[in-house]
Amino acid sequence: MPGSSDPIVAAIAEATLAAELDGVRIVGIDGPSGSGKSTLAVPLARALDAPLIPVDDFVSWNDFAGWWPRFEQQVLDPLFDGRDVRYQQRDWTDWTGDTLGPWRTVPWAPVVVVEGVTCTRAAISSRLACRVWVEAPPADRLRRGLQRDGQEHRGLWERWMREEASFFASDGAAGRADFRVSGIR
């Protein structure tokens, strides 16, 4: 059985494997940008010996929600049908993420980790084996984002954070989480 020395990772892995689901077990690591989702997702995927699919391969700074139908079609539908995933990643040379780049194939696996903003939304929540919400104070998240992306992107980050807050307030993802994790660890 996969494992981890991190008690939070181990508990999430155990809950994911214990989920009473037929077919694929998808664990979603959700929460606002800069909260620490990726930091948690990498060791979790390793502990579960599972592929990791980042929502960042789909998002665009200029279209907060428009990527979701493509994510459903290219990632979720194949996983639930027992097929390999083949999706077109955003073009990482286009900083805003408005254009598409290369294709990525992820072989079907019995457990998959999906990490990123809104990935445990109401539309998919009931089909997930485990829902994880990662949170951190807005000031810390903004600081982390600007350290990574640069001060020239402050306006984008502030707008994005408002869009996230609005989405999460109406969707209720945090309230449906099986685990709530502080991204400040």
Side-chain angles (χ1 to χ4, degrees):
M1 174 183 211
S4 171
S5 61
D6 181 328
I8 293 170
V9 169
I12 295 168
E14 183 178 322
T16 299
L17 295 174
E20 293 186 22
L21 291 173
D22 292 328
V24 68
R25 285 175 166 73
I26 300 174
V27 56
I29 310 293
D30 203 344
S33 295
S35 61
K37 297 178 301 299
S38 300
T39 301
L40 177 63
V42 170
L44 179 62
R46 191 176 315 115
L48 289 166
D49 193 26
L52 172 61
I53 300 175
V55 166
D56 280 355
D57 279 351
F58 291 83
V59 298
S60 160
W61 281 103
N62 295 318
D63 186 6
F64 179 79
W67 56 271
W68 183 258
R70 189 167 63 84
F71 184 78
E72 280 186 305
Q73 179 184 44
Q74 293 180 356
V75 174
L76 297 175
D77 291 347
L79 287 175
F80 290 128
D81 289 343
R83 296 182 286 121
D84 293 351
V85 169
R86 188 165 192 278
Y87 68 88
Q88 195 169 11
Q89 298 173 292
R90 68 180 272 184
D91 179 358
W92 285 95
T93 65
D94 168 10
W95 195 86
T96 61
D98 291 335
T99 57
L100 297 177
W103 288 85
R104 178 181 180 210
T105 299
V106 178
W108 188 89
V111 179
V112 176
V113 176
V114 174
E115 172 272 318
V117 154
T118 79
C119 72
T120 66
R121 62 180 61 202
I124 190 62
S125 181
S126 67
R127 298 189 73 187
L128 299 176
C130 190
R131 291 157 297 278
V132 180
W133 178 261
V134 182
E135 55 197 3
D140 290 336
R141 295 179 13 246
L142 179 61
R143 179 185 45 76
R144 289 174 180 171
L146 296 178
Q147 282 176 341
R148 182 190 71 198
D149 298 335
Q151 285 292 329
E152 66 273 20
H153 299 296
R154 177 178 287 276
L156 285 173
W157 263 90
E158 289 171 343
R159 185 189 80 226
W160 186 267
M161 289 174 76
R162 286 189 302 273
E163 290 173 329
E164 284 178 330
S166 176
F167 177 87
F168 288 131
S170 66
D171 183 76
R176 284 189 305 276
D178 300 302
F179 292 88
R180 289 183 74 141
V181 178
S182 172
I184 308 295
R185 304 195 303 145

